[in-house]
Amino acid sequence: GRRPTQQTLKLPSKPAAAPSPAASVPEELPTATLKEGYEGGRIVPRTSSGEPPVQLYRIMDRQQYDDAVEQGVLEASPSGDGRIFASGEPRMQFTEDPSRPSVLVAIDYSDADGWTARTANTGAGGAAEVSAATRSSIPASKVKLIAEGANKKELLDNYAARRAPSPAAVPTP
């Protein structure tokens, strides 16, 4: 008899390695205004309805994101205080260096990742708001790229374009 060729072997189906960004990120991001909640003696971030947030958002240097993908975990920035900071909605003002490539990521939220709620003047216009911080490493599988740019302006433009409704088809002249 003939030996089976590679094509006839049934391999367990695995999800595509790289889904398109549109597939993995909903058009309207699940943002939330965070508040402090209490879970197991810890102060944790919660939505206004008291539920854990679906995702947190973080602006960071492209290199830090690339390192996380390569190493399989998102670590705190080496220049920081050992914590990873994130918020309930994208806070675009936290681009570390406006001239460097930056990314906006969504991080799937879990209390198990050690997030704590913190109040700081990180809201729009420097208003006090509750955001989140953790000293734990976050598995890269929970970190989703939402927008990127070669500099802060491009990141903002790409983020705005991602959130804008698709323009109506315009007849070509």
Side-chain angles (χ1 to χ4, degrees), residues 19-26 29-30 54-60 62 65 68-69 74 90 103-109 138-148 162:
S20 71
S24 58
V25 179
L29 302 173
V54 176
Q55 291 178 333
L56 297 173
Y57 299 92
R58 176 174 169 75
I59 298 275
M60 60 186 177
R62 175 80 210 201
Y65 173 77
V69 170
L74 173 61
V103 298
L104 167 67
V105 298
I107 301 171
D108 291 339
Y109 181 84
I138 304 296
S141 58
K142 292 185 172 185
V143 181
K144 299 181 174 66
L145 184 64
I146 290 178
E148 59 188 312
R162 218 196 77 39

PDB file of all heavy atoms in Angstrom, residues 19-26 29-30 54-60 62 65 68-69 74 90 103-109 138-148 162:
ATOM      1  N   PRO A  19      -4.244  35.959  14.212  1.00  0.00           N
ATOM      2  CA  PRO A  19      -5.517  36.494  13.718  1.00  0.00           C
ATOM      3  C   PRO A  19      -5.335  37.967  13.366  1.00  0.00           C
ATOM      4  O   PRO A  19      -4.462  38.621  13.929  1.00  0.00           O
ATOM      5  CB  PRO A  19      -6.473  36.321  14.900  1.00  0.00           C
ATOM      6  CG  PRO A  19      -5.593  36.239  16.095  1.00  0.00           C
ATOM      7  CD  PRO A  19      -4.268  35.671  15.624  1.00  0.00           C
ATOM      8  N   SER A  20      -6.122  38.448  12.444  1.00  0.00           N
ATOM      9  CA  SER A  20      -5.993  39.865  12.093  1.00  0.00           C
ATOM     10  C   SER A  20      -6.375  40.683  13.321  1.00  0.00           C
ATOM     11  O   SER A  20      -7.219  40.251  14.100  1.00  0.00           O
ATOM     12  CB  SER A  20      -6.917  40.197  10.931  1.00  0.00           C
ATOM     13  OG  SER A  20      -8.249  40.180  11.375  1.00  0.00           O
ATOM     14  N   PRO A  21      -5.747  41.845  13.493  1.00  0.00           N
ATOM     15  CA  PRO A  21      -6.066  42.654  14.691  1.00  0.00           C
ATOM     16  C   PRO A  21      -7.565  42.896  14.829  1.00  0.00           C
ATOM     17  O   PRO A  21      -8.105  42.882  15.922  1.00  0.00           O
ATOM     18  CB  PRO A  21      -5.315  43.957  14.442  1.00  0.00           C
ATOM     19  CG  PRO A  21      -4.225  43.604  13.491  1.00  0.00           C
ATOM     20  CD  PRO A  21      -4.735  42.451  12.657  1.00  0.00           C
ATOM     21  N   ALA A  22      -8.245  43.071  13.696  1.00  0.00           N
ATOM     22  CA  ALA A  22      -9.678  43.349  13.760  1.00  0.00           C
ATOM     23  C   ALA A  22     -10.433  42.189  14.395  1.00  0.00           C
ATOM     24  O   ALA A  22     -11.427  42.375  15.082  1.00  0.00           O
ATOM     25  CB  ALA A  22     -10.212  43.633  12.370  1.00  0.00           C
ATOM     26  N   ALA A  23      -9.934  40.974  14.178  1.00  0.00           N
ATOM     27  CA  ALA A  23     -10.641  39.802  14.701  1.00  0.00           C
ATOM     28  C   ALA A  23     -10.510  39.706  16.217  1.00  0.00           C
ATOM     29  O   ALA A  23     -11.421  39.250  16.891  1.00  0.00           O
ATOM     30  CB  ALA A  23     -10.090  38.544  14.054  1.00  0.00           C
ATOM     31  N   SER A  24      -9.360  40.150  16.745  1.00  0.00           N
ATOM     32  CA  SER A  24      -9.128  39.932  18.169  1.00  0.00           C
ATOM     33  C   SER A  24      -9.524  41.137  19.020  1.00  0.00           C
ATOM     34  O   SER A  24      -9.523  41.055  20.226  1.00  0.00           O
ATOM     35  CB  SER A  24      -7.659  39.585  18.407  1.00  0.00           C
ATOM     36  OG  SER A  24      -6.839  40.627  17.924  1.00  0.00           O
ATOM     37  N   VAL A  25      -9.842  42.251  18.382  1.00  0.00           N
ATOM     38  CA  VAL A  25     -10.203  43.450  19.146  1.00  0.00           C
ATOM     39  C   VAL A  25     -11.568  43.952  18.678  1.00  0.00           C
ATOM     40  O   VAL A  25     -11.743  44.238  17.511  1.00  0.00           O
ATOM     41  CB  VAL A  25      -9.151  44.575  18.951  1.00  0.00           C
ATOM     42  CG1 VAL A  25      -9.549  45.813  19.732  1.00  0.00           C
ATOM     43  CG2 VAL A  25      -7.778  44.091  19.387  1.00  0.00           C
ATOM     44  N   PRO A  26     -12.527  44.001  19.580  1.00  0.00           N
ATOM     45  CA  PRO A  26     -13.855  44.483  19.160  1.00  0.00           C
ATOM     46  C   PRO A  26     -13.776  45.925  18.674  1.00  0.00           C
ATOM     47  O   PRO A  26     -12.911  46.679  19.115  1.00  0.00           O
ATOM     48  CB  PRO A  26     -14.701  44.373  20.423  1.00  0.00           C
ATOM     49  CG  PRO A  26     -13.744  44.209  21.551  1.00  0.00           C
ATOM     50  CD  PRO A  26     -12.462  43.683  20.988  1.00  0.00           C
ATOM     51  N   LEU A  29     -14.118  49.306  21.991  1.00  0.00           N
ATOM     52  CA  LEU A  29     -13.335  48.706  23.062  1.00  0.00           C
ATOM     53  C   LEU A  29     -14.149  48.672  24.353  1.00  0.00           C
ATOM     54  O   LEU A  29     -14.857  49.622  24.659  1.00  0.00           O
ATOM     55  CB  LEU A  29     -12.069  49.532  23.286  1.00  0.00           C
ATOM     56  CG  LEU A  29     -11.159  49.692  22.065  1.00  0.00           C
ATOM     57  CD1 LEU A  29     -10.033  50.656  22.374  1.00  0.00           C
ATOM     58  CD2 LEU A  29     -10.602  48.357  21.653  1.00  0.00           C
ATOM     59  N   PRO A  30     -14.039  47.570  25.118  1.00  0.00           N
ATOM     60  CA  PRO A  30     -14.769  47.488  26.389  1.00  0.00           C
ATOM     61  C   PRO A  30     -14.090  48.325  27.463  1.00  0.00           C
ATOM     62  O   PRO A  30     -13.341  47.806  28.275  1.00  0.00           O
ATOM     63  CB  PRO A  30     -14.740  45.997  26.720  1.00  0.00           C
ATOM     64  CG  PRO A  30     -13.490  45.492  26.067  1.00  0.00           C
ATOM     65  CD  PRO A  30     -13.278  46.340  24.839  1.00  0.00           C
ATOM     66  N   VAL A  54     -13.214  44.039  31.861  1.00  0.00           N
ATOM     67  CA  VAL A  54     -12.904  43.052  30.825  1.00  0.00           C
ATOM     68  C   VAL A  54     -11.436  43.191  30.425  1.00  0.00           C
ATOM     69  O   VAL A  54     -10.695  42.219  30.330  1.00  0.00           O
ATOM     70  CB  VAL A  54     -13.810  43.254  29.588  1.00  0.00           C
ATOM     71  CG1 VAL A  54     -13.420  42.292  28.464  1.00  0.00           C
ATOM     72  CG2 VAL A  54     -15.271  43.076  29.960  1.00  0.00           C
ATOM     73  N   GLN A  55     -11.038  44.443  30.204  1.00  0.00           N
ATOM     74  CA  GLN A  55      -9.672  44.719  29.772  1.00  0.00           C
ATOM     75  C   GLN A  55      -9.169  45.984  30.443  1.00  0.00           C
ATOM     76  O   GLN A  55      -9.950  46.836  30.831  1.00  0.00           O
ATOM     77  CB  GLN A  55      -9.620  44.949  28.247  1.00  0.00           C
ATOM     78  CG  GLN A  55      -9.883  43.702  27.434  1.00  0.00           C
ATOM     79  CD  GLN A  55      -9.860  43.980  25.937  1.00  0.00           C
ATOM     80  OE1 GLN A  55     -10.139  45.076  25.497  1.00  0.00           O
ATOM     81  NE2 GLN A  55      -9.540  42.969  25.161  1.00  0.00           N
ATOM     82  N   LEU A  56      -7.857  46.070  30.539  1.00  0.00           N
ATOM     83  CA  LEU A  56      -7.191  47.303  30.937  1.00  0.00           C
ATOM     84  C   LEU A  56      -6.366  47.763  29.738  1.00  0.00           C
ATOM     85  O   LEU A  56      -6.054  46.971  28.852  1.00  0.00           O
ATOM     86  CB  LEU A  56      -6.269  47.056  32.139  1.00  0.00           C
ATOM     87  CG  LEU A  56      -6.960  46.605  33.427  1.00  0.00           C
ATOM     88  CD1 LEU A  56      -5.916  46.233  34.472  1.00  0.00           C
ATOM     89  CD2 LEU A  56      -7.886  47.689  33.955  1.00  0.00           C
ATOM     90  N   TYR A  57      -6.014  49.031  29.734  1.00  0.00           N
ATOM     91  CA  TYR A  57      -5.291  49.602  28.597  1.00  0.00           C
ATOM     92  C   TYR A  57      -3.964  50.186  29.056  1.00  0.00           C
ATOM     93  O   TYR A  57      -3.859  50.719  30.146  1.00  0.00           O
ATOM     94  CB  TYR A  57      -6.153  50.675  27.915  1.00  0.00           C
ATOM     95  CG  TYR A  57      -7.428  50.050  27.417  1.00  0.00           C
ATOM     96  CD1 TYR A  57      -8.570  50.021  28.210  1.00  0.00           C
ATOM     97  CD2 TYR A  57      -7.458  49.398  26.188  1.00  0.00           C
ATOM     98  CE1 TYR A  57      -9.714  49.379  27.789  1.00  0.00           C
ATOM     99  CE2 TYR A  57      -8.602  48.756  25.755  1.00  0.00           C
ATOM    100  CZ  TYR A  57      -9.724  48.736  26.553  1.00  0.00           C
ATOM    101  OH  TYR A  57     -10.857  48.086  26.140  1.00  0.00           O
ATOM    102  N   ARG A  58      -2.990  50.062  28.178  1.00  0.00           N
ATOM    103  CA  ARG A  58      -1.658  50.547  28.515  1.00  0.00           C
ATOM    104  C   ARG A  58      -0.985  51.079  27.255  1.00  0.00           C
ATOM    105  O   ARG A  58      -1.048  50.447  26.196  1.00  0.00           O
ATOM    106  CB  ARG A  58      -0.842  49.397  29.098  1.00  0.00           C
ATOM    107  CG  ARG A  58       0.592  49.760  29.390  1.00  0.00           C
ATOM    108  CD  ARG A  58       1.317  48.623  30.112  1.00  0.00           C
ATOM    109  NE  ARG A  58       2.747  48.906  30.148  1.00  0.00           N
ATOM    110  CZ  ARG A  58       3.316  49.795  30.944  1.00  0.00           C
ATOM    111  NH1 ARG A  58       2.582  50.497  31.787  1.00  0.00           N
ATOM    112  NH2 ARG A  58       4.616  50.003  30.912  1.00  0.00           N
ATOM    113  N   ILE A  59      -0.363  52.246  27.391  1.00  0.00           N
ATOM    114  CA  ILE A  59       0.479  52.800  26.331  1.00  0.00           C
ATOM    115  C   ILE A  59       1.902  52.446  26.707  1.00  0.00           C
ATOM    116  O   ILE A  59       2.286  52.610  27.870  1.00  0.00           O
ATOM    117  CB  ILE A  59       0.377  54.342  26.309  1.00  0.00           C
ATOM    118  CG1 ILE A  59      -1.041  54.779  26.015  1.00  0.00           C
ATOM    119  CG2 ILE A  59       1.371  54.925  25.321  1.00  0.00           C
ATOM    120  CD1 ILE A  59      -1.372  54.839  24.570  1.00  0.00           C
ATOM    121  N   MET A  60       2.680  51.944  25.770  1.00  0.00           N
ATOM    122  CA  MET A  60       4.068  51.666  26.110  1.00  0.00           C
ATOM    123  C   MET A  60       4.957  51.739  24.885  1.00  0.00           C
ATOM    124  O   MET A  60       4.483  51.781  23.751  1.00  0.00           O
ATOM    125  CB  MET A  60       4.209  50.321  26.814  1.00  0.00           C
ATOM    126  CG  MET A  60       3.741  49.145  26.027  1.00  0.00           C
ATOM    127  SD  MET A  60       3.807  47.668  27.075  1.00  0.00           S
ATOM    128  CE  MET A  60       3.129  46.481  25.949  1.00  0.00           C
ATOM    129  N   ARG A  62       7.273  50.644  21.984  1.00  0.00           N
ATOM    130  CA  ARG A  62       7.187  49.502  21.078  1.00  0.00           C
ATOM    131  C   ARG A  62       8.179  48.408  21.489  1.00  0.00           C
ATOM    132  O   ARG A  62       7.873  47.222  21.419  1.00  0.00           O
ATOM    133  CB  ARG A  62       7.497  49.981  19.654  1.00  0.00           C
ATOM    134  CG  ARG A  62       7.572  48.879  18.624  1.00  0.00           C
ATOM    135  CD  ARG A  62       6.192  48.481  18.202  1.00  0.00           C
ATOM    136  NE  ARG A  62       6.166  47.088  17.812  1.00  0.00           N
ATOM    137  CZ  ARG A  62       5.230  46.577  17.032  1.00  0.00           C
ATOM    138  NH1 ARG A  62       4.273  47.342  16.566  1.00  0.00           N
ATOM    139  NH2 ARG A  62       5.228  45.311  16.739  1.00  0.00           N
ATOM    140  N   TYR A  65       6.857  46.237  24.188  1.00  0.00           N
ATOM    141  CA  TYR A  65       5.858  45.309  23.654  1.00  0.00           C
ATOM    142  C   TYR A  65       6.547  44.156  22.916  1.00  0.00           C
ATOM    143  O   TYR A  65       6.223  42.988  23.123  1.00  0.00           O
ATOM    144  CB  TYR A  65       4.897  46.052  22.717  1.00  0.00           C
ATOM    145  CG  TYR A  65       3.956  45.125  21.998  1.00  0.00           C
ATOM    146  CD1 TYR A  65       2.854  44.578  22.650  1.00  0.00           C
ATOM    147  CD2 TYR A  65       4.174  44.781  20.665  1.00  0.00           C
ATOM    148  CE1 TYR A  65       1.998  43.709  22.000  1.00  0.00           C
ATOM    149  CE2 TYR A  65       3.326  43.915  20.001  1.00  0.00           C
ATOM    150  CZ  TYR A  65       2.239  43.379  20.670  1.00  0.00           C
ATOM    151  OH  TYR A  65       1.395  42.505  20.015  1.00  0.00           O
ATOM    152  N   ALA A  68       7.976  41.732  25.276  1.00  0.00           N
ATOM    153  CA  ALA A  68       6.939  40.907  25.912  1.00  0.00           C
ATOM    154  C   ALA A  68       6.529  39.761  24.996  1.00  0.00           C
ATOM    155  O   ALA A  68       6.384  38.614  25.434  1.00  0.00           O
ATOM    156  CB  ALA A  68       5.722  41.772  26.262  1.00  0.00           C
ATOM    157  N   VAL A  69       6.365  40.058  23.710  1.00  0.00           N
ATOM    158  CA  VAL A  69       5.975  39.019  22.751  1.00  0.00           C
ATOM    159  C   VAL A  69       7.079  37.960  22.674  1.00  0.00           C
ATOM    160  O   VAL A  69       6.810  36.755  22.697  1.00  0.00           O
ATOM    161  CB  VAL A  69       5.711  39.645  21.361  1.00  0.00           C
ATOM    162  CG1 VAL A  69       5.537  38.562  20.303  1.00  0.00           C
ATOM    163  CG2 VAL A  69       4.480  40.540  21.421  1.00  0.00           C
ATOM    164  N   LEU A  74       4.740  40.101  29.800  1.00  0.00           N
ATOM    165  CA  LEU A  74       4.920  41.544  29.916  1.00  0.00           C
ATOM    166  C   LEU A  74       5.446  41.819  31.309  1.00  0.00           C
ATOM    167  O   LEU A  74       4.821  41.474  32.304  1.00  0.00           O
ATOM    168  CB  LEU A  74       3.585  42.261  29.707  1.00  0.00           C
ATOM    169  CG  LEU A  74       3.595  43.773  29.971  1.00  0.00           C
ATOM    170  CD1 LEU A  74       4.565  44.479  29.030  1.00  0.00           C
ATOM    171  CD2 LEU A  74       2.192  44.350  29.814  1.00  0.00           C
ATOM    172  N   PRO A  90      -8.201  53.859  27.289  1.00  0.00           N
ATOM    173  CA  PRO A  90      -6.896  54.312  26.796  1.00  0.00           C
ATOM    174  C   PRO A  90      -6.579  55.732  27.245  1.00  0.00           C
ATOM    175  O   PRO A  90      -7.411  56.620  27.145  1.00  0.00           O
ATOM    176  CB  PRO A  90      -7.070  54.241  25.268  1.00  0.00           C
ATOM    177  CG  PRO A  90      -8.125  53.201  25.063  1.00  0.00           C
ATOM    178  CD  PRO A  90      -9.069  53.380  26.211  1.00  0.00           C
ATOM    179  N   VAL A 103       2.972  51.777  21.329  1.00  0.00           N
ATOM    180  CA  VAL A 103       1.804  50.937  21.088  1.00  0.00           C
ATOM    181  C   VAL A 103       0.763  51.184  22.177  1.00  0.00           C
ATOM    182  O   VAL A 103       1.090  51.572  23.303  1.00  0.00           O
ATOM    183  CB  VAL A 103       2.161  49.436  21.073  1.00  0.00           C
ATOM    184  CG1 VAL A 103       3.138  49.119  19.941  1.00  0.00           C
ATOM    185  CG2 VAL A 103       2.726  48.973  22.402  1.00  0.00           C
ATOM    186  N   LEU A 104      -0.485  50.963  21.801  1.00  0.00           N
ATOM    187  CA  LEU A 104      -1.586  50.893  22.762  1.00  0.00           C
ATOM    188  C   LEU A 104      -1.994  49.433  22.809  1.00  0.00           C
ATOM    189  O   LEU A 104      -2.267  48.833  21.763  1.00  0.00           O
ATOM    190  CB  LEU A 104      -2.770  51.748  22.310  1.00  0.00           C
ATOM    191  CG  LEU A 104      -4.080  51.500  23.074  1.00  0.00           C
ATOM    192  CD1 LEU A 104      -3.963  51.940  24.526  1.00  0.00           C
ATOM    193  CD2 LEU A 104      -5.237  52.217  22.395  1.00  0.00           C
ATOM    194  N   VAL A 105      -2.007  48.861  24.001  1.00  0.00           N
ATOM    195  CA  VAL A 105      -2.427  47.467  24.143  1.00  0.00           C
ATOM    196  C   VAL A 105      -3.613  47.370  25.091  1.00  0.00           C
ATOM    197  O   VAL A 105      -3.825  48.234  25.949  1.00  0.00           O
ATOM    198  CB  VAL A 105      -1.284  46.560  24.673  1.00  0.00           C
ATOM    199  CG1 VAL A 105      -0.114  46.533  23.695  1.00  0.00           C
ATOM    200  CG2 VAL A 105      -0.823  46.988  26.059  1.00  0.00           C
ATOM    201  N   ALA A 106      -4.381  46.314  24.886  1.00  0.00           N
ATOM    202  CA  ALA A 106      -5.427  45.935  25.833  1.00  0.00           C
ATOM    203  C   ALA A 106      -4.908  44.707  26.561  1.00  0.00           C
ATOM    204  O   ALA A 106      -4.313  43.811  25.942  1.00  0.00           O
ATOM    205  CB  ALA A 106      -6.720  45.604  25.102  1.00  0.00           C
ATOM    206  N   ILE A 107      -5.109  44.663  27.862  1.00  0.00           N
ATOM    207  CA  ILE A 107      -4.663  43.532  28.674  1.00  0.00           C
ATOM    208  C   ILE A 107      -5.905  42.863  29.253  1.00  0.00           C
ATOM    209  O   ILE A 107      -6.693  43.518  29.937  1.00  0.00           O
ATOM    210  CB  ILE A 107      -3.740  44.006  29.817  1.00  0.00           C
ATOM    211  CG1 ILE A 107      -2.516  44.730  29.248  1.00  0.00           C
ATOM    212  CG2 ILE A 107      -3.336  42.821  30.704  1.00  0.00           C
ATOM    213  CD1 ILE A 107      -1.645  45.418  30.291  1.00  0.00           C
ATOM    214  N   ASP A 108      -6.086  41.583  28.947  1.00  0.00           N
ATOM    215  CA  ASP A 108      -7.232  40.854  29.515  1.00  0.00           C
ATOM    216  C   ASP A 108      -7.084  40.854  31.033  1.00  0.00           C
ATOM    217  O   ASP A 108      -6.033  40.493  31.565  1.00  0.00           O
ATOM    218  CB  ASP A 108      -7.273  39.413  29.000  1.00  0.00           C
ATOM    219  CG  ASP A 108      -7.608  39.353  27.516  1.00  0.00           C
ATOM    220  OD1 ASP A 108      -8.183  40.330  26.998  1.00  0.00           O
ATOM    221  OD2 ASP A 108      -7.304  38.332  26.884  1.00  0.00           O
ATOM    222  N   TYR A 109      -8.156  41.261  31.722  1.00  0.00           N
ATOM    223  CA  TYR A 109      -8.070  41.431  33.169  1.00  0.00           C
ATOM    224  C   TYR A 109      -8.359  40.142  33.930  1.00  0.00           C
ATOM    225  O   TYR A 109      -9.277  39.398  33.597  1.00  0.00           O
ATOM    226  CB  TYR A 109      -9.061  42.502  33.646  1.00  0.00           C
ATOM    227  CG  TYR A 109      -8.956  42.704  35.140  1.00  0.00           C
ATOM    228  CD1 TYR A 109      -7.992  43.547  35.661  1.00  0.00           C
ATOM    229  CD2 TYR A 109      -9.752  41.979  36.016  1.00  0.00           C
ATOM    230  CE1 TYR A 109      -7.831  43.693  37.025  1.00  0.00           C
ATOM    231  CE2 TYR A 109      -9.605  42.118  37.392  1.00  0.00           C
ATOM    232  CZ  TYR A 109      -8.644  42.969  37.890  1.00  0.00           C
ATOM    233  OH  TYR A 109      -8.485  43.095  39.235  1.00  0.00           O
ATOM    234  N   ILE A 138       2.652  39.704  33.301  1.00  0.00           N
ATOM    235  CA  ILE A 138       1.399  39.352  32.635  1.00  0.00           C
ATOM    236  C   ILE A 138       1.724  38.459  31.439  1.00  0.00           C
ATOM    237  O   ILE A 138       2.587  38.820  30.625  1.00  0.00           O
ATOM    238  CB  ILE A 138       0.669  40.624  32.134  1.00  0.00           C
ATOM    239  CG1 ILE A 138       0.445  41.601  33.287  1.00  0.00           C
ATOM    240  CG2 ILE A 138      -0.640  40.264  31.448  1.00  0.00           C
ATOM    241  CD1 ILE A 138      -0.460  41.112  34.376  1.00  0.00           C
ATOM    242  N   PRO A 139       1.069  37.297  31.320  1.00  0.00           N
ATOM    243  CA  PRO A 139       1.331  36.458  30.137  1.00  0.00           C
ATOM    244  C   PRO A 139       1.065  37.243  28.853  1.00  0.00           C
ATOM    245  O   PRO A 139       0.059  37.942  28.747  1.00  0.00           O
ATOM    246  CB  PRO A 139       0.328  35.308  30.284  1.00  0.00           C
ATOM    247  CG  PRO A 139      -0.066  35.306  31.733  1.00  0.00           C
ATOM    248  CD  PRO A 139       0.048  36.728  32.199  1.00  0.00           C
ATOM    249  N   ALA A 140       1.968  37.137  27.890  1.00  0.00           N
ATOM    250  CA  ALA A 140       1.822  37.881  26.635  1.00  0.00           C
ATOM    251  C   ALA A 140       0.528  37.518  25.917  1.00  0.00           C
ATOM    252  O   ALA A 140      -0.010  38.326  25.156  1.00  0.00           O
ATOM    253  CB  ALA A 140       3.028  37.631  25.740  1.00  0.00           C
ATOM    254  N   SER A 141       0.005  36.317  26.177  1.00  0.00           N
ATOM    255  CA  SER A 141      -1.246  35.900  25.527  1.00  0.00           C
ATOM    256  C   SER A 141      -2.426  36.783  25.938  1.00  0.00           C
ATOM    257  O   SER A 141      -3.444  36.822  25.254  1.00  0.00           O
ATOM    258  CB  SER A 141      -1.561  34.443  25.879  1.00  0.00           C
ATOM    259  OG  SER A 141      -1.656  34.313  27.293  1.00  0.00           O
ATOM    260  N   LYS A 142      -2.282  37.509  27.053  1.00  0.00           N
ATOM    261  CA  LYS A 142      -3.356  38.397  27.518  1.00  0.00           C
ATOM    262  C   LYS A 142      -3.197  39.821  26.991  1.00  0.00           C
ATOM    263  O   LYS A 142      -4.021  40.677  27.272  1.00  0.00           O
ATOM    264  CB  LYS A 142      -3.369  38.458  29.055  1.00  0.00           C
ATOM    265  CG  LYS A 142      -3.784  37.162  29.716  1.00  0.00           C
ATOM    266  CD  LYS A 142      -3.892  37.360  31.215  1.00  0.00           C
ATOM    267  CE  LYS A 142      -4.490  36.119  31.876  1.00  0.00           C
ATOM    268  NZ  LYS A 142      -4.715  36.346  33.304  1.00  0.00           N
ATOM    269  N   VAL A 143      -2.087  40.080  26.279  1.00  0.00           N
ATOM    270  CA  VAL A 143      -1.784  41.429  25.816  1.00  0.00           C
ATOM    271  C   VAL A 143      -2.092  41.526  24.326  1.00  0.00           C
ATOM    272  O   VAL A 143      -1.513  40.792  23.530  1.00  0.00           O
ATOM    273  CB  VAL A 143      -0.301  41.767  26.082  1.00  0.00           C
ATOM    274  CG1 VAL A 143       0.021  43.180  25.619  1.00  0.00           C
ATOM    275  CG2 VAL A 143       0.020  41.597  27.567  1.00  0.00           C
ATOM    276  N   LYS A 144      -3.043  42.395  23.970  1.00  0.00           N
ATOM    277  CA  LYS A 144      -3.457  42.514  22.570  1.00  0.00           C
ATOM    278  C   LYS A 144      -3.108  43.895  22.040  1.00  0.00           C
ATOM    279  O   LYS A 144      -3.436  44.900  22.654  1.00  0.00           O
ATOM    280  CB  LYS A 144      -4.971  42.321  22.458  1.00  0.00           C
ATOM    281  CG  LYS A 144      -5.443  40.961  22.939  1.00  0.00           C
ATOM    282  CD  LYS A 144      -6.954  40.841  22.770  1.00  0.00           C
ATOM    283  CE  LYS A 144      -7.447  39.451  23.105  1.00  0.00           C
ATOM    284  NZ  LYS A 144      -7.275  39.113  24.522  1.00  0.00           N
ATOM    285  N   LEU A 145      -2.475  43.903  20.884  1.00  0.00           N
ATOM    286  CA  LEU A 145      -2.106  45.164  20.241  1.00  0.00           C
ATOM    287  C   LEU A 145      -3.351  45.803  19.628  1.00  0.00           C
ATOM    288  O   LEU A 145      -4.076  45.162  18.869  1.00  0.00           O
ATOM    289  CB  LEU A 145      -1.069  44.879  19.153  1.00  0.00           C
ATOM    290  CG  LEU A 145      -0.497  46.092  18.437  1.00  0.00           C
ATOM    291  CD1 LEU A 145       0.284  46.969  19.409  1.00  0.00           C
ATOM    292  CD2 LEU A 145       0.391  45.646  17.290  1.00  0.00           C
ATOM    293  N   ILE A 146      -3.621  47.054  19.977  1.00  0.00           N
ATOM    294  CA  ILE A 146      -4.798  47.754  19.443  1.00  0.00           C
ATOM    295  C   ILE A 146      -4.391  48.802  18.422  1.00  0.00           C
ATOM    296  O   ILE A 146      -5.008  48.938  17.382  1.00  0.00           O
ATOM    297  CB  ILE A 146      -5.584  48.402  20.598  1.00  0.00           C
ATOM    298  CG1 ILE A 146      -6.226  47.301  21.414  1.00  0.00           C
ATOM    299  CG2 ILE A 146      -6.639  49.369  20.061  1.00  0.00           C
ATOM    300  CD1 ILE A 146      -6.987  47.789  22.584  1.00  0.00           C
ATOM    301  N   ALA A 147      -3.349  49.552  18.720  1.00  0.00           N
ATOM    302  CA  ALA A 147      -2.890  50.572  17.777  1.00  0.00           C
ATOM    303  C   ALA A 147      -1.394  50.751  17.983  1.00  0.00           C
ATOM    304  O   ALA A 147      -0.876  50.503  19.070  1.00  0.00           O
ATOM    305  CB  ALA A 147      -3.618  51.895  18.006  1.00  0.00           C
ATOM    306  N   GLU A 148      -0.716  51.168  16.913  1.00  0.00           N
ATOM    307  CA  GLU A 148       0.716  51.408  17.019  1.00  0.00           C
ATOM    308  C   GLU A 148       1.068  52.578  16.133  1.00  0.00           C
ATOM    309  O   GLU A 148       0.299  52.973  15.257  1.00  0.00           O
ATOM    310  CB  GLU A 148       1.505  50.162  16.622  1.00  0.00           C
ATOM    311  CG  GLU A 148       1.240  49.692  15.204  1.00  0.00           C
ATOM    312  CD  GLU A 148       1.893  48.347  14.916  1.00  0.00           C
ATOM    313  OE1 GLU A 148       3.080  48.191  15.240  1.00  0.00           O
ATOM    314  OE2 GLU A 148       1.219  47.473  14.372  1.00  0.00           O
ATOM    315  N   ARG A 162      -8.910  53.739  13.880  1.00  0.00           N
ATOM    316  CA  ARG A 162      -9.446  52.437  14.269  1.00  0.00           C
ATOM    317  C   ARG A 162     -10.837  52.585  14.878  1.00  0.00           C
ATOM    318  O   ARG A 162     -11.689  51.736  14.730  1.00  0.00           O
ATOM    319  CB  ARG A 162      -8.493  51.816  15.303  1.00  0.00           C
ATOM    320  CG  ARG A 162      -8.327  50.328  15.132  1.00  0.00           C
ATOM    321  CD  ARG A 162      -7.725  49.693  16.337  1.00  0.00           C
ATOM    322  NE  ARG A 162      -8.541  49.473  17.492  1.00  0.00           N
ATOM    323  CZ  ARG A 162      -9.815  49.081  17.533  1.00  0.00           C
ATOM    324  NH1 ARG A 162     -10.479  48.913  16.500  1.00  0.00           N
ATOM    325  NH2 ARG A 162     -10.441  48.857  18.638  1.00  0.00           N
TER     326      ARG A 162
END
